[in-house]
Amino acid sequence: AMNGESLEEALLFAESSCSQARALIWPLAFPKIFENGGFDVVLGNPPWERLSINEKEFFATRAPAVSKAVNKVARQREIEALRNANVGTAEHKAYEDYTKAKRIAEVTSCYAHDNLRFPLSGQGDVNLYALFFESILNITSDRGRAGVITPTGIATDINTSRLFGSIV
């Protein structure tokens, strides 16, 4: 539970987020494949996005005044104005969307930093492609092959050095 919410509220949010994200638990979805050690071939083109919310990008079309603010203090003032807008207006909806996206990013970041699930890629400012890459390695059998489109950061970024080192 975060921000003073109850465990029940946190669980409801988690269930809703997983449903909305269409979360997939590979071994449950493909039990026979995992009984045989995993997939023989996995191909992927994962998203190349950081888990953190970039306020300028987020509000670019929803509330341009936030994006055009000259600095963080001015952006926070604009976001506060959205929060104080009348419920039901586009401005208040932009704020609600922002808080939901921010919460999802926080929860996803906590999940990504789980050293049991992502011991090689779940550190620092995580990029989704690294998490996907590590997941693909985990679902591919020892005799299988994987092809994944990633930026060059997979080989050069400090946060992915252990991941890249594991395959080299």
Side-chain angles (χ1 to χ4, degrees), residues 8-126:
E8 183 176 315
E9 290 170 322
L11 289 173
L12 286 172
F13 182 82
E15 287 177 14
S16 170
S17 296
C18 286
S19 176
Q20 182 181 358
R22 300 183 329 227
L24 175 68
I25 301 170
W26 291 93
L28 295 178
F30 303 100
K32 293 209 183 291
I33 289 172
F34 284 90
E35 286 172 15
N36 293 320
F39 289 95
D40 293 328
V41 176
V42 181
L43 299 174
N45 182 8
W48 299 4
E49 300 171 3
R50 298 219 175 272
L51 292 180
S52 54
I53 298 293
N54 180 312
E55 293 168 348
K56 286 183 177 186
E57 290 175 11
F58 184 87
F59 287 110
T61 58
R62 293 174 177 91
V66 175
S67 292
K68 294 175 184 172
V70 295
N71 57 35
K72 184 156 181 71
V73 171
R75 262 193 312 282
Q76 290 305 314
R77 199 172 21 250
E78 292 293 337
I79 292 169
E80 186 66 20
L82 296 174
R83 184 175 80 80
N84 293 327
N86 291 330
V87 174
T89 62
E91 291 81 10
H92 195 266
K93 174 83 167 85
Y95 177 78
E96 289 174 343
D97 291 348
Y98 170 68
T99 56
K100 184 176 181 183
K102 192 172 171 188
R103 174 61 201 258
I104 290 171
E106 290 169 357
V107 170
T108 305
S109 183
C110 287
Y111 176 72
H113 287 99
D114 177 350
N115 287 329
L116 295 175
R117 177 82 169 105
F118 300 105
L120 302 174
S121 62
Q123 25 208 306
D125 188 12
V126 177

Side-chain angles (χ1 to χ4, degrees), residues 118-123 127 129-138 150 154-155 157-168:
F118 300 105
L120 302 174
S121 62
Q123 25 208 306
N127 194 307
Y129 79 83
L131 300 179
F132 274 77
F133 189 91
E134 186 167 0
S135 293
I136 287 170
L137 292 178
N138 290 332
T150 68
I154 194 78
D157 290 352
I158 189 72
N159 291 337
T160 55
S161 62
R162 289 179 47 216
L163 176 62
F164 189 71
S166 75
I167 63 165
V168 176

